[in-house]
Amino acid sequence: MPAFYMKDEEAKNVTAFLRWISHIDTNGWPPEPIELASLIQGPDKLPIDSPPEQAMVVTGERLFVSKGCSACHTLGKGPLVGPDLLDIVSQSGFDFLVQWLQDPEAIYVELGTRPINEGFPPMPAMNVSREEAVSIATFLLSCSEGDMKWGN
């Protein structure tokens, strides 16, 4: 723990503030990320001879959680903060989804509308590389092909 060099009164005020905010009802916000099966089993549980596509699916699944996608989206469980993404690849196309994940603002400009999905907030920039976007899109494609359902 770092030394903050506070006076006694400052430390008491900080303590009182922390106690006060710990009792605020946030109505469940922010939501806790959804734990996925591969994360529960451990990060490196792929067989050594797994095909590259399977490794990309697992990587995409991890990125879906770590980048915060699961805080707003479900797969086959209906809309949450954002739309349900179970069939997003077949609806939008793989390449479009990769571009969307990389730079949603550029897509808004290109299409001349913000947000794309009426009734939902605009998609924030997710700060993902092209490789990460391809992995996430591959994971979403595998979910739609397997009709996987998870989320709130």
Side-chain angles (χ1 to χ4, degrees):
M1 182 80 170
F4 291 109
Y5 304 105
M6 289 187 218
K7 297 177 185 170
D8 285 344
E9 185 160 343
E10 291 172 321
K12 287 177 187 176
N13 288 339
V14 169
T15 302
F17 173 74
L18 292 173
R19 283 188 182 161
W20 175 72
I21 64 169
S22 72
H23 292 91
I24 293 175
D25 182 5
T26 60
N27 295 315
W29 188 260
E32 291 188 30
I34 300 162
E35 298 241 1
L36 302 176
S38 67
L39 294 177
I40 294 168
Q41 295 170 358
D44 300 315
K45 297 297 183 192
L46 278 177
I48 293 174
D49 59 348
S50 290
E53 301 82 27
Q54 182 61 27
M56 189 175 291
V57 168
V58 172
T59 299
E61 181 181 28
R62 288 188 196 127
L63 287 166
F64 189 82
V65 174
S66 69
K67 294 292 185 175
C69 306
S70 63
C72 296
H73 300 282
T74 65
L75 294 166
K77 295 280 197 158
L80 192 57
V81 174
D84 185 303
L85 298 181
L86 183 62
D87 292 319
I88 193 65
V89 178
S90 64
Q91 293 170 9
S92 301
F94 190 88
D95 292 335
F96 176 85
L97 183 57
V98 170
Q99 291 173 345
W100 172 255
L101 289 165
Q102 286 183 270
D103 191 358
E105 196 58 43
I107 301 294
Y108 290 136
V109 170
E110 183 181 319
L111 296 177
T113 185
R114 189 172 201 269
I116 292 175
N117 298 298
E118 191 174 324
F120 295 105
M123 173 83 163
M126 300 306 295
N127 301 316
V128 297
S129 67
R130 176 161 178 74
E131 182 180 81
E132 290 171 326
V134 168
S135 292
I136 294 169
T138 302
F139 163 65
L140 293 172
L141 177 62
S142 77
C143 293
S144 64
E145 289 174 345
D147 200 30
M148 176 182 178
K149 294 188 180 184
W150 63 267
N152 291 338

